[in-house]
Amino acid sequence: MSAAGTEAPETPEAPLSAPLEVGFDYTRSVGPVLGEFVNALRERRILGVRGSDGRVHVPPVEYDPGTARALTEFVAVADEGTVLSWSWNAEPLDGQPVTRPFAWALIRLDGADTALLHAVDAGSPSAMRTGMRVRARWADEPVGHIRDLVSFVPADASPEPEPAPPSPPVAERGEGEPVSTVITPITLRIQHSASPEESRYLRALAEGRLLGQRCPVCGKVYIPPRGACPVDGVPTEEEVDLPDTGIVTTFCIVNVPFLGQRIKPPYVAAYVLLDGADIAFLHLVLGCAAEEVRMGLRVRAVWRPREEWSTTLENITHFEPTGEPDAPYESFAHHL
Amino acid sequence: MAKQLTAVLGTGQTHHRAKRTDVSMPGLIREAVDRALEDAQVDWPDIDAVVLGKAPDMFEGVMMPELFLADALGATGKPLLRVHTAGSVGGSTALVAATLIQAGVHRRVLTVAYEKQSESNAMWALSILPPFQMPVGAGAGGYFAPHVRSYIRRSGAPTHVGAIVAAKDRRNGALNPYAHLRQPDITVESVQASQMLWDPIRYDETCPSSDGACAMVLGDEAAGDAVPGGAAWLHATAMRTEPTTFAGRDQVNPQAGRDAAAALWRDAGITDPMSEVDVAEIYVPFSWFEPMWLENLGFAPEGEGWKVTESGETALGGRLPVNPSGGVLSSNPIGASGMLRFSEAAKQVMGRAGDYQVDGARTALGHAYGGGSQFFAMWLVGADKP
């Protein structure tokens, strides 16, 4: 569900940066009020709900905006109405209701007292005006989702020649059962940048080196380097090359599979404390049975072939036992 | 200027389940809120402000849910604040609400926390890997399991202590009509026979994923005095924070937790917590955190929390019942889990804990932690005014 790939920096000093995409198909349970609304859409009907002050809210609200009381009196409204305000969207994005330029509009349907936000597919901004009359364009096969209302069009527009786009999928339900859950796909596209210090560490990794930084006050060596000591709050500048050997301080054996997992379980996720470092990082331990991994186990890095190296700790595929005697508990107890 | 006396007037919570697909997010919250208003015998016009908490927005994919929840929370025309401190948020939300009363700003404040985990997948949300990193993270269990191993090694605890906690909390949960998991027949042996998920943490030693919400109405002294049968009075509160990682950090017994507990006991005038506290609701999402937090909170010397658990002193009827409600191991709507601990502590001193009421409970601790054991929130409530 997430993907990472490094990009070549423009200059050697520029911080490294790479895209990160995070996405999930969220499942929204609609509850009794929005449930009435979406299931009516399936029958090409639009429902509002009457508020404590008599006003009809469309879409229905579950709780009165003034009194906070639960609202239950549903009112059918028309699928035609009046544009109260609008804004032209010249460059529609993926996933928006209309693929060509359209207007986002606040539409008060006949019989409603509040406005519904929806798309008006009018062709050009010159066809839009506040106060104009619009009517719903319905999906050919409504499923019980706000997108059964494909868009609104000017009331006097001629019937659409093209078929309406299909409504998005709703969650599985029993035959004849009402819609209780809708699926809402959400994706974030992020450009993730490493700090200057982390970038230097990552570039060192691309050369097969493990680069840390020492705090000038407490003398502790951090890998990855952070540019500042989290204890003393001072900048860290002195760089320290660290060996690719160390110990396992503590660990767990991951037996549980999960969505987005990139290593097949079971695997040993271990805190590895490199010789000369003062903080451990999480990595994999292989090369022995999982039940033979111990606190204090001496390990060394196993590197990928040199031609596969890039700016990532994944250049080290895992750590494996060196065969040396275990470190005594007292020597690493303060790292737990 | 001294703080104004502050009391819990009433509490409410949902029936917690893996999937509450019968309700929307606002509907889930209102189930808890409506129960809290009824328990406190107050109505919407009595509420001066609303303080909401929930864990990371990624769990439901709704950025700033307080915006769309304002009408369900009855916040129209009132201050609405949202608090965020990861898993401890239910506790810190209650404490932010309490400060509004302690400061004399408001008379009655509604505080609410929730999570609707079934709308996505928390394990996925907690394992998202930024570029350049090693993909070994495995959710909250994967994060905490190595530190549990460290505790076992450091304390020399026998390996069945975790199973004792799990069996106790799940049996307690069976007494709680709102609990997600209700397992009256679970045993130490059956816990030990369950699947190892993140060795050394087994399936039955792990909290469930729950949909649920919790709410409380807090009030000033006059409001507290009016509570039939008596309010739960705040005796002390504490919050502390530390970075997730730094060289030499004690991941088993974090300094921030020790400092928060020390401040709590000092402010409440408690010198011997084990003798002076009647019941504790402690945030235990994985069984071993009971002995770990018993030490962190000062109920037991370092390395000896497991002896308190093993001796049965934390069971109902023991010297310090811990999580008589069933705790996080029985219900885990993440954002609400901390507030559930705080509200269950209040219910105990109000005598409203039903089948898991600790006889004669006069003083109770509510505790929450979050992030990588870096946020701590706690309160001590009593049947008597401080």
Side-chain angles (χ1 to χ4, degrees):
Chain A
M1 300 294 283
S2 66
T6 57
E7 281 179 358
E10 289 174 13
T11 70
E13 287 73 34
L16 290 167
S17 147
L20 170 64
E21 185 170 316
V22 181
F24 197 89
D25 290 349
Y26 287 89
T27 51
R28 303 259 173 260
S29 38
V30 290
V33 174
L34 290 175
E36 284 280 330
F37 176 69
V38 295
N39 283 290
L41 290 176
R42 200 152 54 120
E43 300 164 356
R44 293 197 171 87
R45 294 186 299 119
I46 302 176
L47 291 183
V49 73
R50 193 177 304 282
S52 304
D53 58 0
R55 291 189 306 154
V56 174
H57 298 265
V58 180
V61 293
E62 296 186 71
Y63 300 96
D64 189 84
T67 65
R69 305 288 169 210
L71 298 179
T72 53
E73 185 189 342
F74 293 96
V75 180
V77 299
D79 67 355
E80 287 188 31
T82 304
V83 170
L84 301 188
S85 187
W86 58 277
S87 174
W88 191 251
N89 179 14
E91 295 176 13
L93 303 174
D94 283 350
Q96 291 186 336
V98 184
T99 54
R100 61 175 182 160
F102 67 93
W104 285 118
L106 289 170
I107 302 161
R108 188 175 61 213
L109 297 175
D110 297 345
D113 292 293
T114 65
L116 170 77
L117 175 68
H118 216 300
V120 176
D121 187 10
S124 90
S126 63
M128 289 297 304
R129 61 181 175 79
T130 295
M132 75 187 283
R133 297 283 298 168
V134 291
R135 62 177 166 82
R137 185 184 181 196
W138 290 93
D140 294 333
E141 293 178 24
V143 297
H145 193 287
I146 185 67
R147 300 285 288 271
D148 291 341
L149 289 166
V150 172
S151 63
F152 284 77
V153 294
D156 55 3
S158 52
E160 298 76 34
E162 320 144 27
S167 300
V170 290
E172 280 182 30
R173 64 182 192 275
E175 184 68 32
E177 293 291 310
V179 173
S180 61
T181 303
V182 297
I183 299 171
T184 307
I186 296 177
T187 302
L188 296 173
R189 293 186 182 86
I190 297 162
Q191 189 67 19
H192 173 95
S193 294
S195 69
E197 295 76 16
E198 188 188 4
S199 297
R200 288 180 57 77
Y201 150 84
L202 292 167
R203 291 194 173 100
L205 275 171
E207 299 167 0
R209 292 190 301 126
L210 290 159
L211 188 66
Q213 274 184 337
R214 190 189 313 276
C215 170
V217 176
C218 65
K220 304 279 191 195
V221 172
Y222 278 81
I223 182 165
R226 304 184 184 191
C229 176
V231 174
D232 298 301
V234 296
T236 51
E237 288 166 359
E238 182 192 347
E239 294 186 337
V240 184
D241 269 289
L242 292 165
D244 65 356
T245 56
I247 63 165
V248 169
T249 58
T250 187
F251 65 97
C252 76
I253 307 169
V254 178
N255 289 315
V256 56
F258 60 90
L259 183 66
Q261 193 171 37
R262 286 171 53 192
I263 302 170
K264 192 176 183 309
Y267 60 87
V268 176
Y271 281 101
V272 173
L273 180 69
L274 295 179
D275 295 328
D278 290 291
I279 194 159
F281 55 75
L282 269 177
H283 215 292
L284 274 181
V285 172
L286 301 173
C288 66
E291 55 272 21
E292 288 174 23
V293 176
R294 305 173 294 278
M295 296 172 74
L297 181 72
R298 294 278 311 161
V299 291
R300 87 161 52 82
V302 176
W303 294 78
R304 288 181 199 282
R306 181 176 293 265
E307 59 273 19
E308 294 177 19
W309 289 352
S310 66
T311 51
T312 171
L313 188 55
E314 289 188 82
N315 291 348
I316 295 173
T317 61
H318 62 275
F319 284 79
E320 66 177 12
T322 64
E324 299 165 275
D326 289 357
Y329 175 71
E330 296 68 31
S331 71
F332 63 88
H334 57 291
H335 288 292
L336 298 176
Chain B
M1 191 180 90
K3 289 175 187 168
Q4 301 296 307
L5 284 185
T6 301
V8 178
L9 310 181
T11 68
Q13 62 186 283
T14 54
H15 288 282
H16 314 297
R17 297 285 180 271
K19 293 174 188 287
R20 285 295 309 270
T21 51
D22 57 317
V23 286
S24 64
M25 248 181 277
L28 183 78
I29 288 167
R30 280 295 290 267
E31 191 175 309
V33 167
D34 290 351
R35 286 191 179 120
L37 295 177
E38 187 184 355
D39 192 49
Q41 297 185 17
V42 298
D43 199 359
W44 287 109
D46 303 318
I47 300 297
D48 301 322
V50 183
V51 184
L52 173 73
K54 73 171 299 296
D57 292 346
M58 194 79 88
F59 289 170
E60 289 90 356
V62 180
M63 290 288 287
M64 300 190 286
E66 61 275 19
L67 302 186
F68 96 106
L69 292 171
D71 45 8
L73 290 166
T76 305
K78 298 170 184 176
L80 168 60
L81 301 177
R82 188 250 176 120
V83 179
H84 190 172
T85 59
S88 74
V89 70
S92 48
T93 301
L95 295 186
V96 169
T99 57
L100 297 175
I101 310 237
Q102 289 168 330
V105 176
H106 295 301
R107 289 201 58 202
R108 289 186 199 82
V109 176
L110 172 67
T111 184
V112 188
Y114 78 99
E115 210 72 63
K116 202 155 186 304
Q117 288 211 56
S118 69
E119 306 232 338
S120 84
N121 178 319
M123 183 94 180
W124 161 79
L126 292 173
S127 305
I128 290 166
L129 184 75
F132 314 120
Q133 311 292 315
M134 189 64 203
V136 285
Y143 181 84
F144 291 118
H147 306 312
V148 166
R149 182 182 304 280
S150 297
Y151 172 73
I152 295 169
R153 174 66 181 81
R154 187 189 287 185
S155 67
T159 55
H160 70 287
V161 168
I164 292 173
V165 175
K168 166 184 70 78
D169 283 6
R170 293 282 169 75
R171 284 199 300 262
N172 287 349
L175 302 172
N176 179 353
Y178 294 109
H180 174 178
L181 298 178
R182 309 181 67 207
Q183 301 176 340
D185 301 322
I186 195 170
T187 64
V188 172
E189 293 71 29
S190 71
V191 173
Q192 289 179 296
S194 69
Q195 190 199 347
M196 194 63 94
L197 294 186
W198 304 271
D199 192 331
I201 298 175
R202 291 183 182 277
Y203 179 79
D204 277 345
E205 296 177 281
T206 301
C207 55
S209 288
S210 313
D211 287 353
C214 181
M216 293 190 283
V217 181
L218 308 184
D220 64 7
E221 184 172 13
D225 284 338
V227 173
W233 296 95
L234 271 61
H235 285 220
T237 67
M239 280 191 277
R240 291 291 188 280
T241 307
E242 70 183 40
T244 319
T245 62
F246 56 87
R249 181 182 184 216
D250 190 335
Q251 301 256 29
V252 174
N253 194 3
Q255 184 73 41
R258 280 182 278 154
D259 290 350
L264 188 83
W265 304 136
R266 184 195 64 223
D267 291 352
I270 298 260
T271 53
D272 178 6
M274 195 66 185
S275 301
E276 297 176 69
V277 177
D278 299 316
V279 51
E281 284 278 343
I282 301 175
Y283 201 105
V284 178
F286 302 99
S287 62
W288 282 95
F289 276 90
E290 176 177 300
M292 289 164 72
W293 293 149
L294 284 173
E295 296 172 23
N296 192 246
L297 285 163
F299 286 111
E302 184 152 13
E304 296 186 15
W306 64 268
K307 295 176 184 172
V308 179
T309 296
E310 192 186 37
S311 70
E313 296 284 30
T314 60
L316 268 169
R319 192 170 169 212
L320 178 74
V322 173
N323 294 326
S325 69
V328 184
L329 281 170
S330 297
S331 308
N332 184 35
I334 302 175
S337 292
M339 191 172 289
L340 286 165
R341 307 281 70 69
F342 280 49
S343 71
E344 292 292 354
K347 285 165 67 176
Q348 288 288 349
V349 299
M350 295 169 87
R352 298 184 185 184
D355 290 345
Y356 54 93
Q357 177 68 47
V358 173
D359 287 342
R362 306 290 295 173
T363 304
L365 171 76
H367 162 273
Y369 84 99
S373 299
Q374 65 191 117
F375 297 114
F376 292 85
M378 46 195 80
W379 76 10
L380 191 76
V381 288
D384 302 315
K385 290 183 187 178

